[in-house]
Amino acid sequence: MGDRQTEKASTNIMEFVVGAEFPSTHMDVTTDMIRRFAAASFDFNPLHLDPNWMADATFGKTKFGSVIGHGLMTYSLITRMFTDVLYPVGGWHERCEVRFKAPVLPGHRITASARITETKEIDGDLVYIAEVVASNQDGVVVASGDAMGRVPLDAAM
Amino acid sequence: MDGSALDAVPSTEELLANFETDFWRDEKNRRSWNEIQVGEERETHPVTLTLKIIQDYARAIGDLNPLYFDEEYANRSRFGGLIAPPTIHVPLMFLCTTKSDWMRTPGTVNAGQNWYYRRPARPGDVVTLRARALDKLIRKGRMFVIHDNVFCDQNGQVLCSGRGWTIRPR
Protein backbone atom coordinates (compact mmCIF):
# COMPACT_ATOMS: atom_id res chain seq x y z
CA MET A 1 0.00 0.00 0.00
CA GLY A 2 1.34 3.46 -0.93
CA ASP A 3 2.11 6.19 1.60
CA ARG A 4 -0.86 8.25 0.62
CA GLN A 5 -3.27 5.39 1.19
CA THR A 6 -1.65 4.52 4.50
CA GLU A 7 -2.17 8.10 5.63
CA LYS A 8 -5.80 7.98 4.54
CA ALA A 9 -6.31 4.69 6.30
CA SER A 10 -5.29 6.26 9.57
CA THR A 11 -8.27 8.59 9.36
CA ASN A 12 -10.55 5.87 8.07
CA ILE A 13 -10.97 7.68 4.77
CA MET A 14 -10.01 6.39 1.37
CA GLU A 15 -10.68 7.31 -2.21
CA PHE A 16 -13.19 5.07 -3.91
CA VAL A 17 -11.37 4.70 -7.21
CA VAL A 18 -10.23 1.69 -9.20
CA GLY A 19 -7.05 0.33 -7.66
CA ALA A 20 -7.69 1.74 -4.19
CA GLU A 21 -7.18 -0.69 -1.34
CA PHE A 22 -9.23 -0.94 1.82
CA PRO A 23 -7.19 -0.87 5.04
CA SER A 24 -6.69 -4.55 5.83
CA THR A 25 -8.06 -6.30 8.91
CA HIS A 26 -6.54 -9.31 10.60
CA MET A 27 -7.22 -11.88 13.29
CA ASP A 28 -4.93 -14.18 15.25
CA VAL A 29 -6.71 -17.50 15.39
CA THR A 30 -6.61 -19.60 18.56
CA THR A 31 -8.71 -22.52 19.78
CA ASP A 32 -10.19 -20.12 22.36
CA MET A 33 -11.15 -17.64 19.69
CA ILE A 34 -12.85 -20.38 17.69
CA ARG A 35 -14.73 -21.48 20.82
CA ARG A 36 -15.88 -17.94 21.45
CA PHE A 37 -17.04 -17.66 17.86
CA ALA A 38 -18.90 -20.97 18.16
CA ALA A 39 -20.70 -19.77 21.28
CA ALA A 40 -21.62 -16.38 19.79
CA SER A 41 -22.71 -17.79 16.42
CA PHE A 42 -24.44 -20.89 17.89
CA ASP A 43 -22.48 -23.00 15.41
CA PHE A 44 -21.26 -25.87 17.59
CA ASN A 45 -20.19 -28.13 14.73
CA PRO A 46 -17.48 -30.44 16.15
CA LEU A 47 -15.33 -29.42 13.17
CA HIS A 48 -14.57 -26.35 15.25
CA LEU A 49 -14.60 -27.76 18.77
CA ASP A 50 -13.55 -31.40 19.03
CA PRO A 51 -9.79 -31.92 18.57
CA ASN A 52 -10.03 -35.67 19.22
CA TRP A 53 -12.59 -36.21 16.48
CA MET A 54 -10.75 -33.91 14.07
CA ALA A 55 -7.43 -35.69 14.63
CA ASP A 56 -8.72 -38.69 12.67
CA ALA A 57 -11.90 -37.64 10.85
CA THR A 58 -11.69 -37.58 7.07
CA PHE A 59 -13.83 -35.55 4.73
CA GLY A 60 -13.60 -37.21 1.34
CA LYS A 61 -9.87 -37.17 0.71
CA THR A 62 -9.29 -34.35 3.18
CA LYS A 63 -8.05 -34.82 6.72
CA PHE A 64 -7.66 -31.55 8.60
CA GLY A 65 -5.94 -33.12 11.61
CA SER A 66 -7.02 -30.25 13.87
CA VAL A 67 -10.08 -28.17 14.61
CA ILE A 68 -10.69 -25.56 11.93
CA GLY A 69 -12.04 -22.03 12.16
CA HIS A 70 -15.53 -21.27 10.92
CA GLY A 71 -15.65 -20.00 7.35
CA LEU A 72 -18.05 -17.33 8.51
CA MET A 73 -15.49 -16.10 11.04
CA THR A 74 -13.24 -15.23 8.09
CA TYR A 75 -16.26 -13.86 6.25
CA SER A 76 -17.00 -11.61 9.23
CA LEU A 77 -13.39 -10.38 9.29
CA ILE A 78 -13.77 -9.45 5.63
CA THR A 79 -17.07 -7.69 6.33
CA ARG A 80 -15.55 -5.64 9.15
CA MET A 81 -12.87 -4.40 6.73
CA PHE A 82 -15.65 -2.80 4.69
CA THR A 83 -17.92 -1.49 7.45
CA ASP A 84 -14.95 0.13 9.26
CA VAL A 85 -14.48 2.38 6.21
CA LEU A 86 -18.06 2.73 5.04
CA TYR A 87 -20.10 3.51 8.15
CA PRO A 88 -18.19 6.68 9.14
CA VAL A 89 -18.71 8.18 5.65
CA GLY A 90 -22.37 7.28 5.27
CA GLY A 91 -21.72 4.25 3.08
CA TRP A 92 -23.31 0.82 2.93
CA HIS A 93 -21.79 -2.66 2.60
CA GLU A 94 -24.16 -4.19 0.11
CA ARG A 95 -22.89 -7.57 -0.99
CA CYS A 96 -20.08 -10.04 -0.43
CA GLU A 97 -19.35 -13.36 -2.09
CA VAL A 98 -16.50 -15.63 -1.10
CA ARG A 99 -15.34 -19.15 -1.58
CA PHE A 100 -13.39 -20.83 1.16
CA LYS A 101 -10.19 -22.22 -0.34
CA ALA A 102 -8.15 -23.61 2.51
CA PRO A 103 -8.71 -24.34 6.20
CA VAL A 104 -8.11 -21.73 8.89
CA LEU A 105 -6.24 -23.37 11.78
CA PRO A 106 -5.31 -22.32 15.32
CA GLY A 107 -2.00 -20.42 15.12
CA HIS A 108 -2.88 -18.73 11.85
CA ARG A 109 -2.85 -15.00 11.40
CA ILE A 110 -5.56 -14.29 8.82
CA THR A 111 -5.40 -10.99 6.97
CA ALA A 112 -8.25 -9.70 4.83
CA SER A 113 -7.59 -7.31 1.98
CA ALA A 114 -9.62 -5.79 -0.82
CA ARG A 115 -8.97 -3.66 -3.88
CA ILE A 116 -11.53 -1.76 -5.94
CA THR A 117 -11.78 -3.14 -9.46
CA GLU A 118 -14.81 -1.28 -10.83
CA THR A 119 -16.84 1.78 -9.97
CA LYS A 120 -20.14 3.08 -11.26
CA GLU A 121 -22.22 6.16 -10.40
CA ILE A 122 -25.82 5.21 -9.67
CA ASP A 123 -28.45 7.73 -8.46
CA GLY A 124 -26.05 9.91 -6.47
CA ASP A 125 -24.01 7.03 -5.11
CA LEU A 126 -20.60 5.75 -6.04
CA VAL A 127 -21.00 1.98 -6.27
CA TYR A 128 -17.81 -0.07 -6.25
CA ILE A 129 -16.84 -3.67 -6.81
CA ALA A 130 -13.77 -4.90 -4.92
CA GLU A 131 -11.84 -8.12 -5.17
CA VAL A 132 -11.40 -9.73 -1.78
CA VAL A 133 -8.70 -12.04 -0.49
CA ALA A 134 -8.04 -13.47 2.96
CA SER A 135 -4.66 -15.15 3.46
CA ASN A 136 -2.77 -16.76 6.28
CA GLN A 137 0.70 -15.78 7.48
CA ASP A 138 2.31 -18.00 4.83
CA GLY A 139 0.43 -16.30 2.02
CA VAL A 140 -1.96 -19.21 1.51
CA VAL A 141 -5.31 -17.87 0.33
CA VAL A 142 -8.05 -19.14 2.67
CA ALA A 143 -10.92 -17.20 1.08
CA SER A 144 -11.41 -15.14 -2.04
CA GLY A 145 -14.23 -13.43 -3.85
CA ASP A 146 -15.68 -10.00 -4.35
CA ALA A 147 -17.75 -7.39 -2.64
CA MET A 148 -19.98 -4.49 -3.60
CA GLY A 149 -20.70 -1.36 -1.63
CA ARG A 150 -21.68 2.24 -2.04
CA VAL A 151 -20.93 5.70 -0.67
CA PRO A 152 -22.64 9.03 -1.37
CA LEU A 153 -20.82 10.66 -4.31
CA ASP A 154 -19.71 13.64 -2.23
CA ALA A 155 -17.91 11.28 0.20
CA ALA A 156 -16.32 9.17 -2.51
CA MET A 157 -13.43 11.42 -3.60
CA MET B 1 -46.36 -11.25 9.48
CA ASP B 2 -49.80 -11.30 11.09
CA GLY B 3 -50.49 -10.99 14.82
CA SER B 4 -50.98 -14.70 15.44
CA ALA B 5 -47.53 -15.57 14.09
CA LEU B 6 -45.95 -12.92 16.33
CA ASP B 7 -47.77 -14.39 19.33
CA ALA B 8 -45.87 -17.62 18.69
CA VAL B 9 -42.44 -16.00 19.03
CA PRO B 10 -40.56 -17.91 21.72
CA SER B 11 -38.80 -15.98 24.43
CA THR B 12 -35.21 -15.45 23.42
CA GLU B 13 -34.03 -16.22 26.96
CA GLU B 14 -35.76 -19.62 26.79
CA LEU B 15 -34.42 -20.26 23.30
CA LEU B 16 -30.85 -19.56 24.41
CA ALA B 17 -31.21 -21.54 27.63
CA ASN B 18 -32.51 -24.58 25.75
CA PHE B 19 -30.17 -24.39 22.75
CA GLU B 20 -28.66 -27.84 22.14
CA THR B 21 -24.93 -27.35 21.78
CA ASP B 22 -24.13 -31.04 21.26
CA PHE B 23 -24.63 -31.33 17.51
CA TRP B 24 -24.23 -35.13 17.68
CA ARG B 25 -27.33 -35.60 19.83
CA ASP B 26 -30.01 -35.22 17.15
CA GLU B 27 -27.92 -36.48 14.26
CA LYS B 28 -30.19 -39.43 13.49
CA ASN B 29 -33.09 -37.03 12.86
CA ARG B 30 -31.24 -35.03 10.24
CA ARG B 31 -31.39 -35.51 6.51
CA SER B 32 -28.47 -36.88 4.55
CA TRP B 33 -27.49 -35.49 1.16
CA ASN B 34 -29.76 -38.03 -0.50
CA GLU B 35 -32.68 -37.21 1.80
CA ILE B 36 -32.48 -33.42 1.47
CA GLN B 37 -35.34 -32.34 -0.77
CA VAL B 38 -34.47 -29.61 -3.25
CA GLY B 39 -36.97 -26.75 -3.13
CA GLU B 40 -38.42 -27.75 0.22
CA GLU B 41 -38.49 -25.16 3.01
CA ARG B 42 -36.46 -25.89 6.13
CA GLU B 43 -38.35 -25.66 9.42
CA THR B 44 -37.77 -22.26 11.03
CA HIS B 45 -39.26 -20.09 13.76
CA PRO B 46 -39.10 -16.34 14.48
CA VAL B 47 -36.47 -15.05 16.88
CA THR B 48 -36.45 -11.77 18.77
CA LEU B 49 -32.97 -10.35 18.25
CA THR B 50 -31.56 -9.03 21.51
CA LEU B 51 -28.78 -6.56 22.14
CA LYS B 52 -26.91 -9.33 23.96
CA ILE B 53 -26.91 -11.58 20.88
CA ILE B 54 -25.68 -8.66 18.77
CA GLN B 55 -22.94 -7.58 21.15
CA ASP B 56 -21.75 -11.11 21.96
CA TYR B 57 -21.39 -11.75 18.24
CA ALA B 58 -19.69 -8.41 17.55
CA ARG B 59 -17.17 -9.07 20.34
CA ALA B 60 -16.48 -12.58 19.04
CA ILE B 61 -15.50 -11.16 15.64
CA GLY B 62 -13.47 -8.35 17.22
CA ASP B 63 -15.81 -5.69 15.85
CA LEU B 64 -16.35 -2.97 18.43
CA ASN B 65 -17.98 -0.49 16.07
CA PRO B 66 -19.82 2.11 18.20
CA LEU B 67 -22.94 1.55 16.08
CA TYR B 68 -23.27 -1.77 17.90
CA PHE B 69 -22.28 -0.59 21.41
CA ASP B 70 -22.66 3.17 21.97
CA GLU B 71 -26.32 4.11 22.11
CA GLU B 72 -25.73 7.86 22.05
CA TYR B 73 -23.41 7.61 19.07
CA ALA B 74 -25.85 5.31 17.28
CA ASN B 75 -28.79 7.61 18.02
CA ARG B 76 -26.92 10.48 16.36
CA SER B 77 -25.99 8.37 13.33
CA ARG B 78 -28.15 8.11 10.22
CA PHE B 79 -29.42 4.77 11.58
CA GLY B 80 -31.02 6.57 14.53
CA GLY B 81 -30.16 3.82 17.00
CA LEU B 82 -28.11 0.74 17.69
CA ILE B 83 -27.84 -1.78 14.85
CA ALA B 84 -26.34 -5.24 14.35
CA PRO B 85 -23.30 -5.95 12.17
CA PRO B 86 -24.19 -7.24 8.69
CA THR B 87 -23.06 -10.77 9.57
CA ILE B 88 -25.63 -11.13 12.36
CA HIS B 89 -27.24 -13.63 9.96
CA VAL B 90 -24.65 -16.15 11.20
CA PRO B 91 -26.10 -16.62 14.71
CA LEU B 92 -29.63 -15.94 13.45
CA MET B 93 -29.46 -18.92 11.07
CA PHE B 94 -28.81 -21.32 13.94
CA LEU B 95 -31.30 -19.59 16.27
CA CYS B 96 -34.12 -19.61 13.69
CA THR B 97 -33.71 -23.30 12.76
CA THR B 98 -34.35 -26.49 14.74
CA LYS B 99 -31.99 -29.04 16.25
CA SER B 100 -32.83 -31.50 13.46
CA ASP B 101 -31.85 -29.01 10.74
CA TRP B 102 -29.26 -30.53 8.40
CA MET B 103 -27.05 -27.46 8.62
CA ARG B 104 -26.07 -28.77 12.07
CA THR B 105 -24.82 -32.13 10.78
CA PRO B 106 -21.33 -32.67 12.26
CA GLY B 107 -18.74 -32.37 9.53
CA THR B 108 -20.77 -29.99 7.36
CA VAL B 109 -18.11 -27.88 5.62
CA ASN B 110 -18.85 -24.36 4.40
CA ALA B 111 -17.55 -24.07 0.84
CA GLY B 112 -18.72 -20.57 0.01
CA GLN B 113 -21.37 -17.95 0.66
CA ASN B 114 -22.80 -14.81 -0.86
CA TRP B 115 -24.99 -12.33 0.94
CA TYR B 116 -26.88 -9.24 -0.13
CA TYR B 117 -27.66 -6.71 2.62
CA ARG B 118 -30.81 -4.60 2.34
CA ARG B 119 -31.04 -2.94 5.77
CA PRO B 120 -29.49 -3.39 9.19
CA ALA B 121 -31.08 -5.64 11.79
CA ARG B 122 -31.75 -3.92 15.08
CA PRO B 123 -32.17 -5.02 18.69
CA GLY B 124 -35.81 -5.91 19.25
CA ASP B 125 -36.42 -6.99 15.66
CA VAL B 126 -38.48 -10.16 15.39
CA VAL B 127 -36.55 -11.94 12.69
CA THR B 128 -37.96 -14.64 10.44
CA LEU B 129 -36.05 -16.92 8.10
CA ARG B 130 -37.12 -18.62 4.91
CA ALA B 131 -34.58 -21.27 4.02
CA ARG B 132 -34.40 -23.92 1.31
CA ALA B 133 -32.10 -26.30 -0.40
CA LEU B 134 -31.92 -25.07 -4.00
CA ASP B 135 -29.70 -27.65 -5.67
CA LYS B 136 -27.57 -30.72 -5.00
CA LEU B 137 -24.60 -31.93 -6.95
CA ILE B 138 -21.54 -34.13 -6.80
CA ARG B 139 -18.19 -32.78 -7.94
CA LYS B 140 -14.91 -34.68 -7.70
CA GLY B 141 -16.55 -37.08 -5.27
CA ARG B 142 -17.81 -34.34 -2.98
CA MET B 143 -21.53 -34.06 -2.24
CA PHE B 144 -22.67 -30.43 -2.29
CA VAL B 145 -25.96 -28.80 -1.35
CA ILE B 146 -26.69 -25.23 -2.41
CA HIS B 147 -29.09 -23.40 -0.12
CA ASP B 148 -30.67 -19.99 0.16
CA ASN B 149 -31.71 -17.99 3.21
CA VAL B 150 -33.87 -14.87 3.34
CA PHE B 151 -34.18 -13.00 6.64
CA CYS B 152 -37.02 -10.53 7.26
CA ASP B 153 -37.99 -8.28 10.15
CA GLN B 154 -41.39 -8.08 11.88
CA ASN B 155 -42.74 -5.85 9.09
CA GLY B 156 -41.85 -8.36 6.41
CA GLN B 157 -39.00 -6.15 5.21
CA VAL B 158 -36.02 -8.10 3.91
CA LEU B 159 -32.90 -7.65 6.03
CA CYS B 160 -30.57 -9.78 3.97
CA SER B 161 -30.60 -12.62 1.51
CA GLY B 162 -27.89 -15.20 1.03
CA ARG B 163 -26.90 -18.32 -0.80
CA GLY B 164 -24.31 -20.84 0.21
CA TRP B 165 -22.62 -24.09 -0.67
CA THR B 166 -21.95 -26.79 1.89
CA ILE B 167 -20.06 -30.04 1.46
CA ARG B 168 -22.12 -32.81 3.06
CA PRO B 169 -20.39 -35.41 5.24
CA ARG B 170 -23.00 -38.05 4.45
Side-chain angles (χ1 to χ4, degrees):
Chain A
M1 214 183 261
D3 286 339
R4 182 148 175 248
Q5 282 176 344
T6 306
E7 185 188 312
K8 287 197 165 235
S10 68
T11 54
N12 244 354
I13 297 169
M14 57 178 277
E15 280 185 287
F16 292 83
V17 295
V18 170
E21 292 183 27
F22 284 78
S24 65
T25 48
H26 70 268
M27 60 182 180
D28 290 312
V29 180
T30 63
T31 53
D32 265 4
M33 185 193 179
I34 295 171
R35 283 180 176 278
R36 281 199 303 275
F37 185 85
S41 67
F42 300 90
D43 182 350
F44 296 94
N45 194 313
L47 280 174
H48 312 299
L49 298 169
D50 186 346
N52 295 325
W53 185 58
M54 289 299 284
D56 297 320
T58 54
F59 303 85
K61 284 160 277 182
T62 306
K63 181 169 162 181
F64 297 113
S66 146
V67 294
I68 60 173
H70 302 65
L72 287 166
M73 189 166 74
T74 300
Y75 185 93
S76 296
L77 177 76
I78 290 167
T79 304
R80 172 158 65 88
M81 166 174 59
F82 291 109
T83 54
D84 278 354
V85 169
L86 293 169
Y87 282 155
V89 298
W92 181 244
H93 174 65
E94 190 158 339
R95 185 178 188 279
C96 186
E97 171 160 7
V98 302
R99 282 190 183 192
F100 301 108
K101 304 286 208 183
V104 167
L105 304 174
H108 279 181
R109 168 171 282 210
I110 304 297
T111 302
S113 58
R115 192 176 60 86
I116 293 177
T117 57
E118 284 181 58
T119 61
K120 196 170 177 62
E121 293 180 17
I122 304 177
D123 296 340
D125 285 339
L126 187 287
V127 177
Y128 65 81
I129 308 294
E131 62 180 14
V132 173
V133 175
S135 309
N136 70 19
Q137 69 289 345
D138 300 321
V140 175
V141 173
V142 298
S144 65
D146 56 66
M148 180 169 77
R150 63 176 71 208
V151 288
L153 268 177
D154 54 14
M157 300 301 167
Chain B
M1 181 187 290
D2 64 23
S4 58
L6 285 175
D7 287 345
V9 178
S11 118
T12 298
E13 287 67 30
E14 257 175 66
L15 183 69
L16 299 189
N18 296 327
F19 192 90
E20 178 55 72
T21 62
D22 180 355
F23 279 16
W24 288 113
R25 187 157 295 165
D26 299 285
E27 178 56 6
K28 63 178 186 307
N29 298 321
R30 299 198 188 105
R31 293 186 168 179
S32 66
W33 180 87
N34 206 40
E35 291 163 344
I36 290 170
Q37 301 296 319
V38 164
E40 191 177 71
E41 299 247 347
R42 287 154 61 196
E43 184 185 348
T44 65
H45 50 79
V47 169
T48 304
L49 180 61
T50 62
L51 191 57
K52 179 174 168 29
I53 294 171
I54 293 171
Q55 294 182 343
D56 283 354
Y57 187 74
R59 282 191 198 95
I61 59 174
D63 191 347
L64 303 180
N65 196 304
L67 288 170
Y68 318 143
F69 290 95
D70 183 338
E71 190 156 14
E72 277 183 33
Y73 175 93
N75 286 344
R76 288 195 311 269
S77 77
R78 76 200 137 110
F79 298 112
L82 290 167
I83 61 170
T87 51
I88 196 66
H89 55 75
V90 182
L92 283 172
M93 193 280 281
F94 286 97
L95 292 172
C96 287
T97 51
T98 68
K99 57 190 182 181
S100 57
D101 187 62
W102 47 263
M103 210 56 88
R104 284 167 169 74
T105 299
T108 297
V109 172
N110 190 344
Q113 302 246 331
N114 55 271
W115 285 89
Y116 187 94
Y117 301 101
R118 286 278 300 277
R119 53 172 58 75
R122 297 164 185 270
D125 276 355
V126 181
V127 177
T128 57
L129 167 62
R130 294 197 311 273
R132 293 176 301 182
L134 285 178
D135 196 6
K136 314 196 276 193
L137 57 135
I138 297 177
R139 227 173 245 179
K140 295 180 183 168
R142 287 179 169 152
M143 297 185 292
F144 289 89
V145 170
I146 302 172
H147 64 274
D148 74 342
N149 292 330
V150 181
F151 287 99
C152 292
D153 68 12
Q154 59 281 0
N155 301 314
Q157 304 261 37
V158 173
L159 297 168
C160 60
S161 167
R163 192 171 48 191
W165 292 51
T166 54
I167 307 173
R168 312 308 309 169
R170 64 180 182 87

